[in-house]
Amino acid sequence: MTNQRPYARLAPEIIAEIERIPGEITVVSEAEKLADYDADETPGGIRHLPEAVVIPTRPEQVAAILGIATRHHIPVTPRGGGTGLAGGCIPIYGGILLVMTGLNKIIAVDKRNFTAVVEPGVTLGELQEKLDGSGLAYPVHPGEMTATLGGTVATNAGGMNAVKHGVTRHHVLGLEAVTACGEFIRCGGAYVKSSSGYDFTQLITGSEGTLAIITRIILKLGAATTLREILFVPFPSLENAIDAVPDILRLEPQPSGLEFMEKDILDIVTRHTGQDIPRGDHDAYLMIIVDAANTDELHRYFVSAEAICRRHGAAETTVPGDARARRRLLNARENFLPALRAMGELDVIDIVVPRQEIPVFLRQVKALSTAAGIPVIAYGHAGDGNVHLHPVCHNISNEYWQTHLPQLEHDIFVAGIALGGAVSGEHGIGISKKHFLPLQHDEASLDIMRRVKLAMDPDNILNPGKIFDIQARISTKG
Ligand SMILES: Cc1cc2nc3c(=O)[nH]c(=O)nc-3n(C[C@H](O)[C@H](O)[C@H](O)COP(=O)(O)OP(=O)(O)OC[C@H]3O[C@@H](n4cnc5c(N)ncnc54)[C@H](O)[C@@H]3O)c2cc1C
């Protein structure tokens, strides 16, 4: 058990101490400016103001800030682009919001070693721009290009390309990070394997800013895609679509993306973007995204994939054919979340289940949705089992929504975990999903997680209240 003492207020003397740190550093403490930093993209109105926003530009400043925070017992919440969907960067205990966008240099791109060294505030879009034309690519593609690399490492972000290229952690070779007391950890390196002690790189990746602040990242790059095409396939049912997935995954080349979607989300996004997607009237669809070396390979792939889909009930297949039509399809997929948001209040669930369980899970979700009287829209990454579910406050009163959503959410997580799933496939736990983590991990595992946290952050000042509450039981055994 920790004897967690209350955090101190960020007094003007402490702010002045931070302002005296050498080098360019921005400190914002005027109330009217802080309002820009009280939330991320998580729906549901979770908000909390920091006492000050601090924007460093150098790793040594991060160390100095954490040293001051430890000395005065001030909580520190790191923030990247603020695009997170689990409330991870919301400073729920006030204190310092450490905005990492000032560390924004692409330090090196090594074309012979296929690596890049970047600071955490570089966005996915900026890295992509830098790599354009170089023959190299960073293949992790979460839907939001203003997300920072630091944020994507901290959440172990996934995205549409995960089926072929894996998620962020498969591309993080090394890190520099600063612990709560201001010490630097340098782990991993510009090499692809290592059996040399505990792997702090992988421990810090996905730790949502609770163990250390990431100040530098060594990324593994891949070869840039030469040719990308999409096969868009309607199916009579979601079961038919998902049944086709194992056979599709046996084909070479592996698809980069393999997305499932139902009719209702396509109707919603079409209304939102005003761009029609030729799709007929079918219940479910697969979007198969393939990168090939040349048109022959692409053609061979499509012939085989089409045959598989037809065996599983598909009536037809569509290839967009030109760049505009292809962009329209991808654009539709990237706009699912904004289109749903435009409808009103919604929830974001990104549960992952073994991929063959997707139809069973979705049948259960639909039954729960009907019983709760709350519509749930579903789509996701068929290739990796990551199901995106959005209960929406549509045709029901706000009061009904507030009263019945918590039980529906709980029942959905229980169902997914009973099928062998996990709470979050890519967004992280943050604050919005932490109450569900004990459904997945037993108390012994959570206890070890809390011990790891306290070994690296003994005073619990780094992003407190995220993933789990540290005040919870810590076993005294052993
Ligand atoms: C339209 C839309 C689509 C999205 N699609 C996807 C998707 O397909 N896949 C996916 O995985 N996510 C997706 N996301 C979620 C989001 O983009 C990711 O979670 C992303 O990783 C967040 O990056 P960020 O820089 O905005 O981080 P923030 O939201 O600022 O922070 C996220 C977490 O990282 C921590 N953190 C940030 N920087 C650091 C640092 N330097 N050191 C330590 N901790 C740090 C924060 O404390 C917080 O816990 C989407 C979001 C939106 C709005």
Side-chain angles (χ1 to χ4, degrees):
M1 186 72 213
T2 53
N3 289 318
Q4 171 87 51
R5 58 192 162 104
Y7 295 114
R9 299 289 300 166
L10 191 55
E13 311 81 80
I14 307 176
I15 293 181
E17 210 179 327
I18 295 171
E19 283 169 332
R20 284 197 298 275
I21 295 172
E24 189 191 338
I25 187 163
T26 306
V27 180
V28 180
S29 54
E30 301 86 350
E32 64 282 6
K33 293 189 185 156
L34 293 179
D36 291 344
Y37 296 97
D38 67 348
D40 60 5
E41 293 291 332
T42 311
I46 315 167
R47 294 183 175 275
H48 204 287
L49 285 173
E51 288 162 77
V53 167
V54 181
I55 311 175
T57 56
R58 297 201 338 244
E60 307 75 48
Q61 294 173 329
V62 174
I65 295 161
L66 291 181
I68 293 170
T70 289
R71 226 167 337 105
H72 296 285
H73 201 52
I74 307 285
V76 178
T77 303
R79 177 183 170 109
T83 70
L85 292 172
C89 69
I90 301 175
I92 51 174
Y93 288 97
I96 297 170
L97 186 72
L98 191 63
V99 176
M100 298 301 287
T101 50
L103 276 87
N104 55 8
K105 288 195 265 313
I106 297 176
I107 295 163
V109 173
D110 187 333
K111 289 190 187 174
R112 290 192 312 163
N113 201 30
F114 283 60
T115 51
V117 182
V118 298
E119 290 190 326
V122 174
T123 65
L124 285 164
E126 286 162 352
L127 181 62
Q128 180 174 304
E129 202 179 308
K130 173 81 179 174
L131 295 177
D132 272 353
S134 70
L136 297 176
Y138 179 60
V140 183
H141 185 68
E144 179 53 63
M145 297 304 272
T146 64
T148 63
L149 288 157
T152 58
V153 172
T155 54
N156 185 29
M160 271 204 278
N161 291 347
V163 59
K164 178 171 181 175
H165 297 288
V167 295
T168 300
R169 68 166 71 257
H170 302 123
H171 298 268
V172 183
L173 299 176
L175 291 175
E176 174 189 86
V178 185
T179 64
C181 62
E183 265 173 357
F184 277 94
I185 303 178
R186 293 186 178 88
C187 41
Y191 37 74
V192 290
K193 63 185 209 177
S194 159
S195 303
S196 317
Y198 292 160
D199 193 339
F200 288 128
T201 308
Q202 292 299 323
L203 177 62
I204 292 168
T205 302
S207 67
E208 302 186 46
T210 62
L211 299 180
I213 307 290
I214 299 159
T215 49
R216 191 175 279 208
I217 308 162
I218 306 173
L219 290 172
K220 179 169 93 176
L221 304 175
T225 304
T226 43
L227 200 57
R228 168 162 285 197
E229 195 46 276
I230 302 173
L231 194 64
F232 189 62
V233 194
F235 286 88
S237 73
L238 187 66
E239 276 87 349
N240 288 105
I242 301 296
D243 279 351
V245 168
D247 288 344
I248 294 170
L249 289 176
R250 273 182 216 112
L251 287 180
E252 281 296 328
Q254 278 256 301
S256 302
L258 184 43
E259 301 284 298
F260 75 88
M261 53 207 73
E262 292 182 284
K263 183 180 176 318
D264 46 6
I265 184 64
L266 288 175
D267 293 341
I268 291 167
V269 79
T270 304
R271 275 199 302 276
H272 178 72
T273 58
Q275 290 191 324
D276 197 22
I277 305 161
R279 61 184 186 282
D281 187 22
H282 303 275
D283 274 3
Y285 300 80
L286 282 183
M287 190 187 273
I288 309 171
I289 305 168
V290 193
D291 298 328
N294 52 52
T295 44
D296 281 352
E297 186 178 51
L298 202 58
H299 184 70
R300 272 198 307 276
Y301 182 88
F302 281 162
V303 169
S304 309
E306 186 174 7
I308 291 171
C309 292
R310 283 188 187 279
R311 268 206 312 279
H312 287 279
E316 56 191 303
T317 58
T318 317
V319 178
D322 66 46
R324 254 181 84 213
R326 197 159 44 243
R327 190 57 245 159
R328 197 180 315 144
L329 262 183
L330 289 173
N331 193 39
R333 171 62 188 87
E334 284 162 11
N335 268 290
F336 283 0
L337 184 54
L340 285 163
R341 292 187 102 128
M343 288 172 63
E345 283 234 47
L346 82 159
D347 188 20
V348 177
I349 295 174
D350 80 305
I351 208 160
V352 60
V353 294
R355 57 189 162 211
Q356 79 279 7
E357 303 289 7
I358 292 176
V360 181
F361 177 53
L362 286 182
R363 260 200 308 275
Q364 294 180 3
V365 169
K366 280 177 187 168
L368 291 168
S369 155
T370 306
I374 297 181
V376 177
I377 308 292
Y379 57 90
H381 311 304
D384 59 35
N386 199 180
V387 180
H388 291 291
L389 297 172
H390 299 285
V392 285
C393 181
H394 191 61
N395 290 337
I396 50 176
S397 73
N398 210 276
E399 195 190 346
Y400 187 91
W401 165 258
Q402 301 284 352
T403 314
H404 293 89
L405 178 67
Q407 188 62 48
L408 173 62
E409 251 196 324
H410 179 270
D411 293 346
I412 287 175
F413 280 108
V414 168
I417 288 160
L419 289 170
V423 174
S424 168
E426 55 184 15
H427 299 157
I429 301 300
I431 30 179
S432 59
K433 300 293 176 282
K434 73 177 174 183
H435 307 296
F436 304 112
L437 203 58
L439 296 174
Q440 181 189 340
H441 295 294
D442 58 21
E443 190 48 40
S445 311
L446 288 170
D447 199 45
I448 291 174
M449 287 190 208
R450 291 189 197 103
R451 284 164 179 261
V452 170
K453 157 79 175 165
L454 289 175
M456 291 181 72
D457 177 19
D459 296 317
N460 190 27
I461 63 157
L462 279 183
N463 213 358
K466 307 299 165 55
I467 307 181
F468 39 67
D469 286 314
I470 213 68
Q471 289 90 341
R473 186 180 70 83
I474 300 243
S475 129
T476 48
K477 280 187 296 200

